[in-house]
Amino acid sequence: MLRRIDVVTLFPDWLEGLKALGLTGRALAEGRILLKCWNPRDFAQGVHRSVDDRPYGGGPGMVMRPEPLARCVEAVLAEGEPAPVGCLTPQGRVVDQTAVQELASRERLILVCGRYEGIDERVMEALVDEEWSIGDYVLSGGEPAAAVLMDAVIRLQPGVLGHQDSAAQDSFADARLDCPHYTRPETWRGQVVPEVLLSGDHARIQRWRLAQAVARTAHRRADLLQERPLSRQERQAMEEFDLAGGAIDQESGLK
Ligand code: ADE
């Protein structure tokens, strides 16, 4: 269970929303998790406290200087339990729900946010243990990526979601997307709620949701199903609600 997150950032304001709002705000306010931000500028010397410099070899942009960042990360490591140092960069392992679950089960996360063109590679080698990306696109810094990762990890902590099993039903929880959801009114602009959801037959509702989830995954993210065969339960649910209709083949689980 996560007890503490340390974020190394030149722009701690980026994380204010996470502290103030929603589930993450509440989890942090209740003291379930300690969030501490560290600014490399506080570890920089000289009148200008400069944290970046021009890249050797030329080229556009600036690079984060090694010494202020290294001192800052070392100060983080000197406080509290040992933990791997993670850095948010587009070069990292792409975060998926499996990675989120793995990170959520740790006691402490240390996240370093890069800025400018990047971080001096020697600091990466000396102090960073793992690199994380939130997708194949480039942000202007690691902060929004760290906020995304923290949100995903905090909501999995015991007691943070209202419903104990909400997380088990998330999209990607079993390598499939989530099913559709409906609330009142029963008819909205001529569209009605699927009859099964009004039936009160909870086992049937569960099978319908499973069938819908698999059908959606097959249509929108067939890649998720390519990695595993459909389970007997999934197959039967698809057949019961007539969603299998030519949609399953041996090799991919789909047609
Ligand atoms: N920093 C810049 N782009 C990023 C991305 N896609 N993921 C994580 N950190 C980043």
Side-chain angles (χ1 to χ4, degrees):
M1 192 160 82
L2 199 59
R3 302 245 170 247
R4 170 173 184 150
I5 307 176
D6 294 274
V7 184
V8 172
T9 169
L10 289 166
F11 297 96
D13 287 353
W14 255 105
L15 306 175
E16 288 305 313
L18 199 76
K19 287 196 224 166
L21 303 169
L23 286 178
T24 54
R26 200 173 53 198
L28 296 167
E30 285 171 355
R32 292 172 188 275
I33 299 166
L34 168 74
L35 172 60
K36 184 163 173 181
C37 292
W38 304 71
N39 194 333
R41 200 171 291 282
D42 297 334
F43 296 82
Q45 285 170 334
V47 258
H48 298 298
R49 292 189 168 264
S50 120
V51 289
D52 60 337
D53 207 339
R54 284 163 300 153
Y56 276 117
M62 301 289 269
V63 176
M64 284 178 81
R65 291 173 53 211
E67 191 58 18
L69 183 57
R71 284 187 191 205
C72 184
V73 173
E74 282 160 354
V76 175
L77 289 169
E79 196 175 286
E81 298 298 312
V85 174
C87 180
L88 281 309
T89 106
Q91 283 81 46
R93 169 177 159 195
V94 176
V95 175
D96 59 10
Q97 194 65 14
T98 306
V100 168
Q101 279 160 356
E102 185 187 318
L103 293 169
S105 69
R106 295 186 185 172
E107 296 244 319
R108 182 180 187 192
L109 287 185
I110 301 174
L111 301 175
V112 176
C113 302
R115 274 273 150 182
Y116 314 116
E117 287 303 300
I119 292 173
D120 187 300
E121 190 63 20
R122 292 164 295 183
V123 184
M124 300 299 289
E125 274 167 28
L127 289 166
V128 172
D129 301 301
E130 52 195 24
E131 294 180 41
W132 299 104
S133 163
I134 60 160
D136 291 340
Y137 43 84
V138 180
L139 305 166
S140 54
E143 288 79 4
V148 165
L149 186 60
M150 284 189 274
D151 182 288
V153 161
I154 291 172
R155 66 186 286 287
L156 291 187
Q157 299 305 310
V160 170
L161 286 175
H163 230 275
Q164 224 26 43
D165 341 300
S166 295
Q169 290 173 20
D170 282 344
S171 281
F172 309 113
D174 284 302
R176 28 167 214 265
L177 303 181
D178 199 4
C179 62
H181 299 279
Y182 299 87
T183 187
R184 288 186 296 178
E186 213 176 293
T187 302
W188 178 75
R189 298 190 181 177
Q191 294 190 70
V192 293
V193 173
E195 158 283 320
V196 54
L197 297 178
L198 310 173
S199 68
D201 180 343
H202 293 292
R204 189 157 169 264
I205 291 171
Q206 212 177 357
R207 296 195 302 276
W208 179 85
R209 286 182 167 154
L210 179 63
Q212 288 289 324
V214 177
R216 270 191 162 184
T217 314
H219 285 121
R220 300 183 189 182
R221 290 291 307 276
D223 58 299
L224 293 174
L225 294 177
Q226 237 118 49
E227 314 207 331
R228 62 173 180 89
L230 291 187
S231 69
R232 174 200 284 257
Q233 230 186 358
E234 288 173 327
R235 221 170 253 278
Q236 285 176 348
M238 299 278 280
E239 278 157 17
E240 178 178 351
F241 294 97
D242 221 12
L243 289 165
I248 299 172
D249 92 7
Q250 286 308 74
E251 204 193 325
S252 61
L254 305 169
K255 254 185 205 160

Short mmCIF file of all heavy atoms in Angstrom, two decimals, residues 88-90 114 132-142 145, ligand 1:
data_model
loop_
_atom_site.label_atom_id
_atom_site.label_comp_id
_atom_site.label_asym_id
_atom_site.label_seq_id
_atom_site.Cartn_x
_atom_site.Cartn_y
_atom_site.Cartn_z
N LEU A 88 9.87 10.51 -15.46
CA LEU A 88 8.87 10.59 -16.52
C LEU A 88 9.54 11.13 -17.77
O LEU A 88 10.06 12.26 -17.76
CB LEU A 88 7.75 11.54 -16.10
CG LEU A 88 6.67 11.03 -15.14
CD1 LEU A 88 6.09 9.71 -15.64
CD2 LEU A 88 7.16 10.88 -13.74
N THR A 89 9.55 10.34 -18.81
CA THR A 89 10.14 10.78 -20.08
C THR A 89 9.46 10.02 -21.22
O THR A 89 9.00 8.89 -21.01
CB THR A 89 11.67 10.51 -20.18
OG1 THR A 89 11.89 9.41 -21.05
CG2 THR A 89 12.31 10.19 -18.87
N PRO A 90 9.43 10.62 -22.42
CA PRO A 90 8.83 9.89 -23.54
C PRO A 90 9.66 8.66 -23.93
O PRO A 90 9.19 7.83 -24.70
CB PRO A 90 8.80 10.91 -24.68
CG PRO A 90 9.35 12.17 -24.16
CD PRO A 90 9.87 11.96 -22.78
N GLY A 114 11.19 15.54 -15.90
CA GLY A 114 12.14 16.22 -16.77
C GLY A 114 11.50 17.46 -17.38
O GLY A 114 10.28 17.56 -17.47
N TRP A 132 9.43 6.11 -17.16
CA TRP A 132 8.02 5.88 -17.49
C TRP A 132 7.54 6.92 -18.49
O TRP A 132 7.82 8.10 -18.36
CB TRP A 132 7.16 6.00 -16.22
CG TRP A 132 7.50 5.00 -15.16
CD1 TRP A 132 8.19 5.24 -14.01
CD2 TRP A 132 7.17 3.61 -15.16
NE1 TRP A 132 8.31 4.07 -13.28
CE2 TRP A 132 7.70 3.06 -13.95
CE3 TRP A 132 6.49 2.77 -16.04
CZ2 TRP A 132 7.56 1.72 -13.62
CZ3 TRP A 132 6.36 1.42 -15.70
CH2 TRP A 132 6.88 0.91 -14.51
N SER A 133 6.79 6.44 -19.48
CA SER A 133 6.14 7.34 -20.44
C SER A 133 4.64 7.13 -20.33
O SER A 133 4.20 6.00 -20.10
CB SER A 133 6.61 6.99 -21.86
OG SER A 133 5.74 7.56 -22.81
N ILE A 134 3.84 8.20 -20.52
CA ILE A 134 2.39 7.97 -20.51
C ILE A 134 1.84 7.81 -21.93
O ILE A 134 0.64 7.68 -22.11
CB ILE A 134 1.61 9.04 -19.73
CG1 ILE A 134 1.81 10.44 -20.32
CG2 ILE A 134 1.96 9.01 -18.25
CD1 ILE A 134 0.72 11.41 -19.89
N GLY A 135 2.68 7.79 -22.92
CA GLY A 135 2.20 7.55 -24.28
C GLY A 135 3.17 8.10 -25.30
O GLY A 135 4.07 8.86 -24.96
N ASP A 136 2.95 7.72 -26.55
CA ASP A 136 3.88 8.09 -27.61
C ASP A 136 3.57 9.47 -28.16
O ASP A 136 3.12 9.62 -29.30
CB ASP A 136 3.85 7.04 -28.73
CG ASP A 136 4.45 5.73 -28.24
OD1 ASP A 136 5.20 5.75 -27.25
OD2 ASP A 136 4.16 4.68 -28.86
N TYR A 137 3.77 10.47 -27.32
CA TYR A 137 3.64 11.87 -27.71
C TYR A 137 4.51 12.65 -26.73
O TYR A 137 4.87 12.13 -25.67
CB TYR A 137 2.18 12.35 -27.66
CG TYR A 137 1.45 11.86 -26.44
CD1 TYR A 137 1.54 12.56 -25.23
CD2 TYR A 137 0.70 10.70 -26.47
CE1 TYR A 137 0.89 12.10 -24.10
CE2 TYR A 137 0.05 10.23 -25.33
CZ TYR A 137 0.15 10.93 -24.15
OH TYR A 137 -0.47 10.46 -23.04
N VAL A 138 4.84 13.88 -27.11
CA VAL A 138 5.79 14.62 -26.29
C VAL A 138 5.12 15.78 -25.58
O VAL A 138 4.47 16.61 -26.20
CB VAL A 138 6.96 15.13 -27.16
CG1 VAL A 138 7.96 15.90 -26.32
CG2 VAL A 138 7.65 13.95 -27.84
N LEU A 139 5.25 15.80 -24.26
CA LEU A 139 4.74 16.90 -23.44
C LEU A 139 5.87 17.88 -23.20
O LEU A 139 7.04 17.56 -23.43
CB LEU A 139 4.27 16.35 -22.09
CG LEU A 139 3.24 15.23 -22.15
CD1 LEU A 139 3.12 14.55 -20.79
CD2 LEU A 139 1.90 15.79 -22.58
N SER A 140 5.53 19.06 -22.69
CA SER A 140 6.60 20.03 -22.46
C SER A 140 7.35 19.74 -21.16
O SER A 140 8.33 20.40 -20.85
CB SER A 140 6.03 21.44 -22.47
OG SER A 140 4.99 21.53 -21.55
N GLY A 141 6.89 18.76 -20.42
CA GLY A 141 7.61 18.37 -19.21
C GLY A 141 6.96 17.16 -18.60
O GLY A 141 5.86 16.76 -19.00
N GLY A 142 7.63 16.58 -17.62
CA GLY A 142 7.12 15.35 -17.01
C GLY A 142 5.97 15.56 -16.04
O GLY A 142 5.32 14.59 -15.64
N ALA A 145 2.53 14.21 -16.88
CA ALA A 145 2.64 12.75 -16.91
C ALA A 145 2.67 12.20 -15.48
O ALA A 145 2.02 11.20 -15.17
CB ALA A 145 3.89 12.34 -17.68
N1 ADE B 1 7.66 14.03 -20.74
C1 ADE B 1 7.41 14.52 -21.97
N2 ADE B 1 6.58 13.71 -22.65
C2 ADE B 1 6.28 12.67 -21.82
C3 ADE B 1 5.48 11.50 -21.94
N3 ADE B 1 4.81 11.21 -23.07
N4 ADE B 1 5.41 10.68 -20.89
C4 ADE B 1 6.10 10.93 -19.78
N5 ADE B 1 6.88 12.02 -19.59
C5 ADE B 1 6.96 12.87 -20.61
#
